[in-house]
């Protein structure tokens, strides 16, 4: 062995190892720089630290600096974190790693957030463990985490706490309250105007209003309380138990909130007055945890109306029921769990059933029969009302078809169209598609809309209703008198029927001013040439009053409640109708009502009028007279003036309001001339007669009153018939105008189609002749005219007289195949096919294709 070679080999190996070590160190330094990390080693005996290249880069230490003192190195740790870092190293156990987050101060004054992983490393041969640490720059991750936490915990528009942070703080408050036996209050605030501003003025305006409300909430809250924005116009406030959160403090806070909300809020150019509703729930009396506390405050707020409501167990049950109803409602729609009932609509002239309103009914497995007043608003809130409404319309169409095929009397089924349905852009097309799909007759269907359509997109509503009316669907304005009608717009919409809400259906006990409103509605409808249907008629007094004031149609429990389809069908088969005694009939007796508190006077009047042919009804005071008016169709009233309770003039004022078509006369021996004169001037009475009376003159006055009444009745009857005829004529004219417009449009389209076809045939490179169904040549295109240059004009000629025999044979075959023929002595191919339009034969087209010389041998 050569010692020199051994030394050289050793040096070579050392050099190679040094290169590998340097490369590894370079790679480690590169990795640290790329990962923004570094390592620290504490040299225990000298209390110094050694920094890696990455660690130096993190704190911006000089590259050539050697190990530094530990005390000096600790100054790079942020002062607020320094004690925590030292305490963690003192608690460290040998061989067990740990980690913590803290801040580092860099040489340029900037601050880094770092994750420090430390270890008291046990080194063989050394008595004391050696501290080592790795630093990881997490500044960007921490900033992102802060942003995420901000988004999770604070609303981006208002800056208030979110539901997450609210529940977190509420859980802590409940926990403290349990330990300290204190109450906790949660307030839930709803401001409906935020949603309305969102819809009307846009998202920015809605957000601006929400931000304004948030500022007001913060001003009214204590520093310890938590105000949260849960979305749109919903807010919540958690009252801190340490600052006091009993019922009185909750009520005071809620009162302050509502008072603050009442101040005008500027949104753009508009100034709004907001109105809130506050629900309050308490811990521990109302709730057992934070989530339940918020839920119960929400339930208390959902009890309706503006103001302040404390949670009750009934409210909680109602809220829970609503949630279960919503789930059941969706399931019922998926499983076709609804049915329609039909409430008959009756003609007050004939008493016959002429229509029905289709009413949605739902029997839930869990809750039994659920009222539409309860489940329809839920369907509107969850967006189910549009498909549910279309299901109702389709079901009504199918039922109408079934009754029509069964040969039952014609009835029109009215279907309620919700405002949300009417807002759909293509609702008219969808309803018409249902009519076509089911084969239902539009003249047997109707739609009913409420007055809210006048307050929404009026132009869209008008177009939609006009399209439905044009095909024969009846349009009814439902619940008239309960909304805010634009009477000018009312005349512009194609309504056929005005349905008077049940709140305007009065009986004989109603005040005259209430009856005047009903009569005004009836007069309005007559002026607009609309039929009037009264809803909710339940008593004979109501029915009698409606008939007396010219109402034409009714529905209500006096005739029938809503019925299942099978029961309604049987009613139609049985020909059910209003009893004769409830209707004004042409052959009824002439009825006279005598009112006097003296039996002797009534007896004398009855004797005097014996044999006159009157049906006489008597009453001893005004209240009894009103009852007789409700029971019978009275034509003429003769009343005493001086009666106990209500005088004759007062009675006549009431009668003129309730039964304006009666002829009213006062028979009195008292000299109350002013009251009677005023009644004459007001039209409350038609004639004043004095006691004692002359029998002959009194009989003549009463006979004249009956003649006057009968003439007025006949005029009303004729007016009603004319109005009905005009209504039907207007409807027929409207339908005819639509048909003519459609025919004109169709003719125009056909004309354009014919011109296009003619232009196409004219420029075809093939010779074409058109022959109509009578065999007359109707068309010869340019190529055909070129082939037959020597022939006279063929248009208008009989094809059999002017066309060659082989052409006629091809024309008669009309099989679309090519046949040989001649044109101007040269071979050609002839082909003929029929012309038809919607299955109707209109003639034939004959094509002539000359055969080029090069192809004649092949053809032969």
């Amino acid at each position: 062995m050569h010692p020199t070679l051994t030394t050289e080999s050793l040096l070579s190996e050392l050099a190679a190892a040094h290169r590998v070590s340097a490369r590894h160190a370079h790679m480690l330094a590169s990795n640290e720089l790329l990962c923004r990390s570094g390592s620290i080693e504490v040299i225990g005996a000298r209390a110094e630290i050694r920094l890696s290249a990455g660690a130096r880069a993190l704190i911006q230490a000089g590259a050539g600096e050697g190990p530094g003192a530990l005390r000096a190195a600790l100054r790079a740790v942020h002062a607020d974190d320094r004690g925590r870092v030292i305490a963690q190293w003192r608690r460290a156990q040998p061989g067990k790693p740990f980690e913590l987050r803290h801040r580092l101060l860099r040489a340029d004054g900037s601050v880094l957030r770092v994750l420090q992983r430390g270890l008291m490393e046990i080194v063989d041969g050394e008595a004391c463990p050696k501290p080592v640490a790795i630093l990881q720059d997490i500044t960007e991750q921490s900033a992102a985490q802060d942003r995420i936490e901000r988004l999770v915990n604070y609303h981006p528009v208002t800056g208030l706490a979110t539901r997450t942070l609210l529940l977190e703080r509420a859980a802590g408050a409940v926990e403290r309250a349990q330990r300290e036996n204190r109450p906790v209050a949660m307030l839930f605030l709803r401001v409906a105007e935020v949603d309305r501003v969102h819809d009307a003025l846009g998202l920015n305006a809605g957000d601006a209003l929400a931000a304004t409300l948030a500022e007001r909430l913060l001003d009214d809250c204590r520093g310890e309380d938590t105000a949260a924005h849960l979305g749109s116009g919903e807010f919540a406030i958690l009252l801190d138990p340490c600052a006091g959160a009993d019922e009185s403090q909750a009520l005071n806070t809620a009162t302050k909130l509502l008072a603050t909300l009442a101040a005008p809020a500027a949104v753009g150019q508009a100034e709004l007055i907001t109105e809130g509703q506050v629900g309050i729930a308490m811990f521990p009396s109302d709730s057992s945890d934070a989530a339940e506390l918020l839920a119960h405050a929400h339930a208390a707020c959902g009890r309706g109306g503006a103001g302040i409501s404390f949670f009750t167990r009934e409210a909680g049950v109602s809220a829970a029921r609503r949630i279960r109803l919503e789930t059941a409602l969706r399931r019922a729609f998926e499983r076709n769990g609804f049915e329609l009932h039909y409430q008959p609509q009756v003609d007050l002239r004939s008493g016959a059933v002429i229509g029905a309103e289709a009413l949605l009914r739902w029997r839930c497995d869990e809750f039994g029969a659920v009222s539409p007043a309860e489940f329809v608003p839920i369907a509107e809130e969850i967006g189910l009302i549009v498909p549910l409404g279309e299901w109702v319309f389709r079901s009504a169409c199918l039922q109408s078809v079934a009754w029509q095929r069964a040969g039952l009397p014609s009835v029109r089924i009215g279907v309620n169209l919700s405002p949300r349905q009417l807002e759909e852009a293509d609702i008219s097309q969808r309803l018409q598609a249902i009519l076509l799909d089911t084969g239902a007759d539009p003249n047997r269907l109707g739609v009913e809309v409420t007055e809210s359509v006048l307050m929404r997109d009026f132009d869209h509503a008008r177009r939609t209703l006009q399209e439905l009316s044009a095909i024969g669907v009846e349009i009814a304005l439902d619940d008239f008198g309960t909304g805010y009608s634009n009477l000018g717009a009312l005349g512009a919409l194609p309504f056929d029927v005005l349905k008077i809400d049940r709140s305007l259906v009065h009986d004989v006990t109603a005040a005259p001013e209430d009856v005047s409103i009903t009569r005004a509605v009836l007069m309005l409808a007559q002026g607009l040439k609309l039929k009037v249907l009264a809803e909710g008629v339940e008593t004979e007094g109501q029915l009698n009053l409606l008939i007396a004031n010219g109402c034409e149609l009714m529905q209500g429990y006096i005739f029938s409640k809503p019925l299942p389809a099978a029961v309604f069908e049987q009613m139609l088969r049985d020909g059910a109708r209003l009893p004769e005694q409830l209707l004004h009939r042409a052959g009824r007796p002439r009825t006279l009502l005598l009112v006097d508190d003296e039996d002797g006077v009534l007896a004398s009047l009855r004797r005097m009028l014996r044999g006159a042919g009157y049906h006489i009804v008597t009453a001893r005071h005004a209240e009894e007279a009103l009852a007789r008016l409700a029971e019978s169709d009275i034509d003429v009233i003769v009343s005493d003036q001086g009666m106990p309770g209500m005088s004759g003039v007062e009675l006549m004022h009431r009668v003129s309001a309730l039964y304006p078509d009666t002829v009213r006369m006062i028979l009195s021996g008292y000299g109350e001339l002013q009251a009677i004169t005023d009644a004459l001037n007001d039209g409350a009475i038609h004639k004043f007669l004095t006691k004692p009376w002359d029998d002959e003159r009194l009989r003549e006055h009463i006979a004249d009153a009956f003649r006057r009444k009968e003439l007025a009745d006949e005029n009303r009857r004729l007016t009603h018939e004319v109005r009905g005829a005009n209504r039907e004529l207007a409807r027929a004219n409207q339908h005819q105008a639509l048909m003519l417009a459609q025919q004109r449009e169709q003719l125009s389209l056909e004309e354009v189609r014919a011109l296009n076809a003619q232009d196409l045939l004219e420029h075809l490179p093939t010779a074409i002749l058109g022959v109509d169904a009578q065999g007359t040549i109707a068309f010869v295109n340019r190529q055909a005219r070129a082939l037959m240059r020597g022939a006279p004009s063929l248009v208008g000629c009989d094809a059999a007289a002017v066309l060659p025999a082989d052409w006629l044979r091809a024309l008669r075959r009309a099989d679309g195949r090519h046949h040989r023929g001649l044109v101007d002595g040269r071979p050609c191919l002839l082909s003929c096919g029929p012309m038809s339009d919607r299955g109707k034969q209109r003639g034939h087209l004959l094509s002539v294709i000359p055969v080029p010389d090069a192809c004649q041998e092949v053809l032969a």
Side-chain angles (χ1 to χ4, degrees):
M1 179 179 292
H2 300 283
T4 305
L5 294 176
T6 301
T7 302
E8 290 176 354
S9 298
L10 181 60
L11 291 173
S12 175
E13 289 179 5
L14 288 173
H18 178 72
R19 287 194 298 273
V20 171
S21 178
R23 185 165 63 252
H24 287 171
H26 178 72
M27 290 178 62
L28 178 60
S30 298
N31 285 337
E32 286 186 338
L33 292 173
L34 289 172
C35 297
R36 298 184 62 80
S37 62
S39 61
I40 301 174
E41 182 181 1
V42 180
I43 303 171
R46 290 170 290 182
E48 296 178 341
I49 63 169
R50 181 179 291 120
L51 304 176
S52 69
R56 291 178 181 278
L58 287 179
I59 63 174
Q60 297 177 335
E65 297 179 11
L70 177 60
R71 188 177 298 276
L74 282 173
R75 285 196 291 270
V77 179
H78 194 281
D80 294 341
D81 300 338
R82 197 173 297 152
R84 186 163 53 86
V85 172
I86 293 172
Q88 179 63 53
W89 275 105
R90 285 175 177 169
R91 290 195 304 269
Q93 298 179 15
K96 292 186 177 181
F98 64 87
E99 64 179 39
L100 74 159
R101 289 172 170 80
H102 62 86
R103 289 164 290 180
L104 284 180
L105 298 175
R106 309 183 76 188
D108 62 1
S110 60
V111 179
L112 291 182
R113 290 179 179 269
V114 295
L115 172 65
Q116 181 184 149
R117 294 185 175 90
L119 175 67
M120 297 296 290
E121 185 179 22
I122 301 173
V123 181
D124 294 339
E126 295 186 10
C128 296
K130 181 174 66 174
V132 294
I134 297 175
L135 300 178
Q136 174 72 48
D137 181 6
I138 59 170
T139 304
E140 292 184 0
Q141 295 94 313
S142 296
Q145 184 66 30
D146 289 344
R147 288 194 297 272
I148 292 172
E149 289 181 0
R150 178 75 188 174
L151 290 172
V152 169
N153 293 323
Y154 296 95
H155 195 280
V157 173
T158 61
L160 299 182
T162 61
R163 182 174 182 271
T164 302
L165 182 58
L166 176 70
L167 288 176
E168 182 181 319
R169 293 184 179 176
V174 166
E175 195 174 315
R176 289 194 305 274
Q178 282 178 319
R179 291 196 305 267
E180 300 168 5
N181 194 25
R182 292 177 173 176
V184 180
M186 179 74 76
L187 281 65
F188 191 98
L189 171 65
R190 180 179 291 115
V191 184
E193 282 79 8
V194 176
D195 285 327
R196 287 198 282 269
V197 170
H198 265 138
D199 296 338
L201 302 179
L203 295 177
N204 291 337
D207 289 346
L209 178 58
T212 300
L213 298 177
E215 292 177 5
R216 296 183 181 182
L217 258 64
L218 288 175
D219 291 340
D220 288 338
C221 291
R222 302 169 302 187
E224 302 87 349
D225 300 334
T226 299
H229 187 187
L230 306 182
S232 191
E234 294 185 337
F235 302 85
I237 297 174
L238 172 68
L239 300 188
D240 191 284
C242 296
D246 59 19
E247 287 190 1
S248 63
Q249 287 163 319
L251 183 59
N252 289 337
T253 303
T255 304
K256 284 172 56 181
L257 288 176
L258 294 183
T260 304
L261 287 176
V267 180
Q269 301 298 319
E271 189 174 70
L272 302 174
I273 303 296
T274 56
E275 189 178 64
Q277 180 189 0
V278 180
I280 303 174
M282 304 296 299
F283 171 87
S285 59
D286 298 332
S287 313
S288 59
D289 56 38
E292 191 176 55
L293 185 64
L294 177 60
H296 286 179
H298 178 267
C301 188
R303 289 164 66 183
I308 302 170
S309 301
F310 280 87
F311 174 79
T312 63
R313 289 297 163 187
E314 292 76 14
V317 171
S318 176
R321 172 184 170 89
R322 190 201 176 285
I323 293 173
R324 296 202 303 274
L325 275 175
E326 179 179 329
T327 303
L329 194 62
R330 294 183 188 276
R331 189 182 303 117
F333 181 73
E334 293 169 359
R335 299 176 181 177
N336 198 25
F338 298 95
E339 66 173 324
L340 291 184
H341 283 194
Y342 300 87
Q343 185 167 33
Q345 296 172 341
V346 179
D347 188 326
L348 292 180
R349 293 165 296 179
S350 65
V353 177
I354 51 86
E357 180 180 1
L359 298 167
L360 188 61
R361 294 293 182 262
W362 176 35
R363 176 168 288 279
C364 176
D365 294 338
E366 181 178 359
F367 299 103
V370 184
S371 168
E374 183 176 14
F375 73 78
V376 169
I378 297 176
E380 291 176 344
E381 290 180 24
I382 65 177
L384 194 62
I385 195 65
V386 173
L388 188 56
E390 291 188 12
W391 179 88
V392 171
F393 190 78
R394 179 178 292 275
S395 300
C397 288
L398 292 171
Q399 188 62 72
S400 176
V401 171
W403 286 339
Q404 185 176 3
R405 290 174 178 170
L408 296 175
S410 177
V411 292
R412 190 188 293 269
I413 302 176
V415 177
N416 290 284
L417 199 63
S418 74
R420 178 66 187 85
Q421 275 183 280
L422 198 60
E423 289 176 350
E424 295 290 304
D426 60 342
I427 183 63
S428 173
Q429 290 75 20
R430 281 151 59 179
L431 296 183
Q432 292 185 57
I434 292 174
L435 287 167
L436 290 173
D437 187 42
T438 58
D441 182 358
N443 291 293
R444 290 173 175 252
L445 270 297
V447 295
E448 300 181 7
V449 297
T450 60
E451 294 177 74
S452 60
V453 302
L454 306 178
M455 307 296 291
R456 298 180 182 234
D457 189 345
F458 177 79
D459 290 335
H460 171 65
R462 179 176 58 187
R463 286 193 303 271
T464 299
L465 297 179
Q466 284 176 342
E467 290 171 3
L468 294 173
S469 177
I471 63 173
V473 176
E474 184 179 77
I475 312 297
L477 180 58
D478 197 12
D479 297 334
F480 183 78
T482 60
Y484 302 95
S485 295
N486 180 335
L487 297 182
L490 181 62
L493 289 169
F495 291 120
D496 302 297
V497 179
L498 205 62
K499 297 189 71 173
I500 302 178
D501 185 72
R502 64 182 63 242
S503 63
L504 294 179
V505 176
H506 305 292
D507 60 19
V508 294
T509 63
E513 54 269 22
D514 293 334
V515 179
S516 297
I517 293 174
T518 305
R519 187 185 304 118
V521 172
L522 292 167
M523 293 177 63
L524 170 66
Q526 293 168 3
L528 293 172
K529 296 181 173 59
L530 301 176
K531 291 182 285 187
V532 181
L533 187 149
E535 297 182 289
V537 183
E538 298 181 354
T539 67
E540 290 188 20
Q542 293 173 334
L543 182 63
N544 196 17
L545 187 60
L546 289 168
I547 294 174
N549 285 280
C551 186
E552 302 165 86
L553 308 169
M554 62 74 65
Q555 68 183 72
Y557 277 41
I558 190 173
F559 182 75
S560 173
K561 65 180 182 179
L563 303 171
V567 179
F568 185 86
E569 179 176 332
Q570 189 59 47
M571 174 184 286
L572 293 179
R573 294 185 186 278
D574 296 341
R577 57 199 308 116
L578 270 176
E580 293 290 327
Q581 66 269 22
L582 297 180
L583 298 174
H584 277 282
R585 306 303 297 169
R588 65 178 179 83
R590 305 162 85 195
T591 305
L592 171 66
L593 173 62
L594 302 175
V595 187
D596 201 295
D597 59 335
E598 296 183 20
D599 292 339
V601 172
L602 292 177
S604 297
L605 289 173
R606 291 181 71 95
R607 282 195 303 273
M608 180 199 68
L609 296 169
R610 188 178 299 146
Y614 305 137
H615 173 59
I616 298 176
V617 179
T618 61
R620 291 173 177 80
H621 49 77
E623 288 75 13
E624 187 179 359
L626 290 173
R628 298 294 174 265
L629 282 160
E631 297 166 355
S632 306
D633 294 329
I634 304 298
D635 296 305
V636 178
I637 307 172
V638 178
S639 174
D640 183 28
Q641 166 63 6
M643 295 184 297
M646 186 185 301
S647 70
V649 168
E650 291 172 335
L651 170 63
M652 292 307 181
H653 276 291
R654 176 68 67 90
V655 173
S656 68
L658 295 172
Y659 307 98
D661 296 337
T662 56
V663 179
R664 301 169 294 277
M665 296 189 292
I666 289 288
L667 181 63
S668 176
Y670 293 88
E672 300 176 17
L673 295 179
Q674 186 59 51
I676 294 172
T677 302
D678 291 341
L680 284 167
N681 293 333
D682 293 342
I685 62 176
H686 297 94
K687 194 174 290 291
F688 169 61
L689 306 172
T690 60
K691 291 182 180 178
W693 62 84
D694 178 89
D695 288 354
E696 191 60 35
R697 291 193 61 191
L698 181 56
R699 276 195 292 266
E700 182 57 34
H701 284 309
I702 292 175
D704 182 66
F706 273 103
R707 286 192 293 271
R708 176 175 179 169
K709 176 63 166 57
E710 289 162 358
L711 181 60
D713 286 345
E714 181 64 13
N715 287 337
R716 278 190 294 273
R717 185 187 66 79
L718 293 174
T719 300
H720 183 81
E721 290 181 359
V722 169
R723 188 166 62 244
N726 288 339
R727 209 163 37 226
E728 294 301 322
L729 182 60
R731 190 177 183 88
N733 288 338
Q734 183 182 22
H735 185 67
Q736 185 177 16
L738 176 68
M739 293 292 99
L740 289 174
Q742 291 177 342
Q743 289 177 5
R744 283 195 296 270
E745 183 179 0
Q746 184 65 31
L747 289 173
S748 178
L749 289 173
E750 291 182 357
E751 183 179 356
V752 171
R753 191 183 304 122
L755 290 173
N756 289 337
Q758 183 175 347
D759 189 57
L760 175 65
L761 292 173
E762 177 67 21
H763 293 89
L764 279 177
T766 302
I768 299 292
L769 287 84
V771 181
D772 64 19
Q774 287 72 38
T776 302
I777 298 176
F779 174 76
V780 180
N781 75 344
R782 183 177 57 183
Q783 289 292 334
R785 292 194 297 272
L787 281 179
M788 308 179 71
R789 288 187 298 270
S793 175
L794 298 178
V795 176
C797 297
D798 186 0
V802 298
L803 294 183
D806 49 356
W807 290 30
L808 289 174
R809 284 193 296 273
L811 184 64
R812 294 190 183 100
R813 289 173 180 168
D815 54 6
R817 301 175 60 184
H818 288 93
H819 302 279
R820 299 178 186 177
L822 294 175
V823 56
D824 199 17
R826 299 172 53 199
C828 67
L829 293 177
L830 302 169
S831 178
C832 182
M835 292 188 300
S836 61
D837 182 15
R838 300 173 186 172
K840 183 179 180 180
Q841 185 72 26
R842 299 186 60 185
H844 297 85
L845 282 179
L846 177 66
S847 66
V848 183
I849 307 174
V851 179
D853 295 339
C855 299
Q856 290 184 15
E857 294 182 3
V858 176
L859 184 61

